[in-house]
Amino acid sequence: PVSILELSTGYHFRPPKNWINDPNAPLYYKGWYHLFYQYNPKGAVWGNIVWAHSVSRDLINWVALETAISPSIESDKYGCWSGSATILPDGTPAIMYTGISRPDINYEVQNMAFPKNSSDPLLREWVKPGHNPVIVPEGGINATQFRDPTTAWYADGHWRILVGALSGASRGVAYVYRSRDFRRWTRVRKPLHSAPTGMWECPDFYPVTVDGRQSGVDTSVVSSPRVKHVLKNSLDLRRYDYYTVGTYDRVRERYVPDNPAGDEHHLRYDYGNFYASKTFYDPAKRRRILWGWANESDTAVDDVAKGWAGIQAIPRKVWLDPSGRQLMQWPVEEVEALRGENPVGLKDRVVKRGEHVEVTGLQSAQADVEVSFELPSLEGAETLDPALANDAQKLCGVKGADVEGGVGPFGLWVLASSKLEERTAVFFRVFKAARNINSTKPVVLMCSDPTKASLNTNLYHPTFAGWVDTDIRKGKISLRSLIDRSVVESFGAGGRTCILSRVYPSLAIGKNAHLHVFNNGKADIKVSQLTAWEMKKPALMNGA
Ligand code: FRU
């Protein structure tokens, strides 16, 4: 049906056809951004995995090149799984990736590949040296749970990488391998870090500066300028990425999270559909950029009908918040080039209890919306039920967008049908901290509630939510949503809390998609400023 095709994203990275998953080996080389990704050349479901390859000048327009890495040697014959790139001192990139080397089980080894011709800025052809595999699962490692090598970092005469693993039944582990020559790798006996979370897929480990500036640093910067480290892992069991901020001791090859409970209370890049992410350092604009995969949450039948499945989130700049407690994220500035010429907006508009205000004058199925709210009073905020204080998602499930509160829920209805039967709500709700939460600071919840997103009932539509670490007593909070037909990618409070949702409306499609500000709290709120742009399609999107 037409509606499925109308839901094909306009400006999010996607393939012209077939299945994609993890972003692999993002890098910048001779003026081009490269993105490789897990790809099934034969269909819109996972399988037959190779590395597809696209290049871009601006992170927005993408040209698909020929497959970069596909099964061709003993040690990757049954699959070329995720991996990363490292820029070597002579400026050329090297890729390390996981190969599946047996037909009967997912026996995982680590391989290398190099550009055939490093003077080609497009790095079209990749060759695998004869000494593959370079790392095999030895010393009691579970060979079927041993994958996804990171970008290497260099210090004190050694290269290091991490490989994600599972130890015993439930311990997620990041093993360190070291090399002097980027060829022979030996494991450091004790892992960099581990936690009882289940398998760690796609680890990522990188420095962030503590100066509060938004610039990034190369992965090999280990101590100066003053840095903290971030360790991210993708939880296979729970299908989300979590990270901690901490200290890397390169002599002992150990990492210690600043927050001792960090491996329990998961800080996430994104509280929605965002997995197997990976960062890279962009030397052209001195920033660190995060790529993450957003799976479909439509039915497999619809995936096959539209012929493709999976997108990459808009690349995000990441940096350490001045508090040192968490990362900040913001869509790369290049995406703003897609904004149409005639934004529409609201200014100093009070939205009363139960009121909603439509933002008209644009086609909002493909849009970028920025809004700042003012909260005149927090007096009426609800008390936070201590039983739900640890579980944002559950809380948001109980207190969805239509459940009246004190201060909030207020926010946006996006991809709304004309009679509002369909709408995805992205919103905030403020709570007075309960006495046993040890703080008088009000608590802010951010939610993306898709329970009314579609009249189709056979869809996976969980409510997503995260806390926003902001001092709401100042009476201000902002929200940005990148809307793209079947994606709503939202950034709360300038990028403190992010939520990506996939939704599949049946009515709120194309010209029939509407945008509103709503307030289902008892207290009035004010939109101090709202600006909404239609988003153009990039001229080039992998031929799609
Ligand atoms: C994560 C993952 C990786 C693996 C790849 C296979 O989504 O399972 O651990 O390398 O996908 O496609």
Side-chain angles (χ1 to χ4, degrees):
V2 169
S3 65
I4 295 174
L5 298 178
E6 289 263 357
L7 295 171
S8 288
T9 57
Y11 61 97
H12 280 74
F13 182 102
R14 69 169 178 97
K17 58 177 186 178
N18 297 333
W19 166 275
I20 73 171
N21 56 295
D22 315 359
N24 290 152
L27 63 93
Y28 179 84
Y29 190 64
K30 295 187 192 278
W32 291 87
Y33 292 98
H34 292 251
L35 183 66
F36 305 82
Y37 53 96
Q38 297 280 285
Y39 180 66
N40 179 357
K42 295 184 181 157
V45 296
W46 186 89
N48 315 305
I49 294 294
V50 303
W51 280 42
H53 182 194
S54 293
V55 292
S56 173
R57 287 265 188 203
D58 59 7
L59 294 165
I60 300 300
N61 288 280
W62 290 93
V63 176
L65 302 179
E66 49 272 54
T67 301
I69 301 177
S70 54
S72 67
I73 55 177
E74 284 298 314
S75 58
D76 70 10
K77 212 172 163 187
Y78 301 96
C80 298
W81 287 14
S82 284
S84 307
T86 302
I87 306 293
L88 299 176
D90 69 359
T92 62
I95 281 175
M96 293 186 79
Y97 68 99
T98 298
I100 303 299
S101 62
R102 275 172 58 168
D104 50 338
I105 54 167
N106 287 331
Y107 193 91
E108 293 157 17
V109 300
Q110 317 311 326
N111 296 312
M112 304 186 69
F114 294 95
K116 188 168 179 188
N117 170 10
S118 56
S119 64
D120 171 17
L122 300 184
L123 301 170
R124 280 170 187 266
E125 284 181 87
W126 289 77
V127 290
K128 301 168 189 171
H131 57 265
N132 275 318
V134 291
I135 297 173
V136 296
E138 278 174 336
I141 286 177
N142 177 346
T144 63
Q145 303 285 356
F146 177 61
R147 56 185 176 269
D148 309 336
T150 64
T151 296
W153 67 96
Y154 187 79
D156 315 323
H158 287 274
W159 289 100
R160 286 96 161 156
I161 58 162
L162 299 180
V163 179
L166 176 72
S167 161
S170 60
R171 208 160 181 88
V173 180
Y175 286 117
V176 182
Y177 284 81
R178 307 213 310 183
S179 174
R180 285 190 180 279
D181 56 6
F182 217 88
R183 179 188 167 123
R184 275 161 308 174
W185 295 86
T186 41
R187 178 158 69 91
V188 177
R189 202 173 55 83
K190 285 205 168 164
L192 182 83
H193 193 55
S194 72
T197 55
M199 172 67 186
W200 282 0
E201 296 189 311
C202 302
D204 193 15
F205 188 57
Y206 56 90
V208 283
T209 58
V210 297
D211 57 10
R213 293 181 22 201
Q214 299 187 7
S215 47
V217 286
D218 184 85
T219 312
S220 284
V221 171
V222 288
S223 57
S224 177
R226 213 155 78 73
V227 297
K228 286 260 164 209
H229 272 75
V230 173
L231 176 62
K232 183 282 296 186
N233 291 295
S234 302
L235 296 183
D236 193 14
L237 292 176
R238 301 166 80 166
R239 306 309 290 176
Y240 66 66
D241 286 8
Y242 89 96
Y243 70 89
T244 52
V245 180
T247 304
Y248 168 51
D249 175 345
R250 69 181 190 278
V251 177
R252 291 176 57 237
E253 296 296 1
R254 302 302 293 273
Y255 165 81
V256 181
D258 289 346
N259 176 356
D263 288 301
E264 236 174 277
H265 301 293
H266 294 162
L267 270 178
R268 292 169 53 176
Y269 284 142
D270 194 296
Y271 291 85
N273 183 340
F274 187 93
Y275 193 66
S277 66
K278 191 179 297 296
T279 62
F280 75 106
Y281 175 63
D282 169 15
K285 292 199 176 176
R286 295 178 183 224
R287 56 189 169 172
R288 185 162 285 273
I289 295 176
L290 170 67
W291 278 106
W293 163 50
N295 198 356
E296 302 302 305
S297 51
D298 202 354
T299 61
V301 172
D302 279 357
D303 292 349
V304 171
K306 73 181 189 306
W308 63 275
I311 59 167
Q312 306 295 344
I314 296 295
R316 303 173 180 178
K317 184 166 82 169
V318 288
W319 69 96
L320 186 67
D321 179 63
S323 74
R325 287 193 297 261
Q326 67 161 91
L327 295 172
M328 301 291 289
Q329 301 166 63
W330 200 243
V332 293
E333 61 192 16
E334 286 86 341
V335 76
E336 292 163 28
L338 296 174
R339 288 171 168 177
E341 255 124 58
N342 303 305
V344 298
L346 298 173
K347 203 168 168 45
D348 294 330
R349 174 71 155 86
V350 173
V351 187
K352 294 190 181 310
R353 173 182 190 173
E355 199 188 352
H356 54 96
V357 179
E358 180 163 5
V359 180
T360 55
L362 86 162
Q363 279 204 42
S364 64
Q366 212 174 286
D368 183 356
V369 185
E370 287 200 65
V371 51
S372 12
F373 296 102
E374 265 171 48
L375 312 178
S377 162
L378 300 179
E379 283 292 294
E382 301 156 84
T383 310
L384 181 58
D385 175 354
L388 291 170
N390 279 326
D391 196 335
Q393 187 149 337
K394 204 159 163 196
L395 181 58
C396 189
V398 177
K399 291 187 177 266
D402 296 332
V403 178
E404 182 174 73
V407 179
F410 63 87
L412 299 173
W413 284 334
V414 306
L415 298 173
S417 59
S418 54
K419 295 199 183 107
L420 295 171
E421 311 94 310
E422 291 188 337
R423 55 198 145 97
T424 296
V426 185
F427 64 90
F428 300 111
R429 189 186 274 267
V430 180
F431 295 91
K432 283 193 180 110
R435 241 173 274 116
N436 62 349
I437 291 169
N438 263 339
S439 159
T440 52
K441 208 166 129 187
V443 176
V444 182
L445 182 71
M446 174 171 163
C447 303
S448 180
D449 178 352
T451 51
K452 297 226 163 86
S454 178
L455 293 181
N456 277 341
T457 50
N458 57 349
L459 300 170
Y460 171 67
H461 269 164
T463 298
F464 294 125
W467 305 107
V468 190
D469 185 2
T470 184
D471 191 351
I472 198 71
R473 287 171 298 196
K474 294 184 183 133
K476 287 193 171 117
I477 193 159
S478 70
L479 175 66
R480 179 173 181 193
S481 281
L482 294 169
I483 304 159
D484 190 4
R485 293 154 186 261
S486 59
V487 195
V488 181
E489 194 175 353
S490 302
F491 300 81
R496 287 181 174 276
T497 304
C498 309
I499 307 180
L500 189 155
S501 297
R502 300 301 310 275
V503 291
Y504 304 88
S506 66
L507 304 170
I509 285 175
K511 287 184 187 134
N512 302 319
H514 299 258
L515 171 69
H516 299 250
V517 179
F518 78 96
N519 178 14
N520 279 335
K522 293 194 178 94
D524 291 356
I525 55 126
K526 183 157 111 184
V527 173
S528 32
Q529 174 90 46
L530 180 150
T531 314
W533 294 263
E534 280 183 15
M535 291 295 267
K536 290 177 264 194
K537 260 195 174 172
L540 304 168
M541 182 47 76
N542 293 319

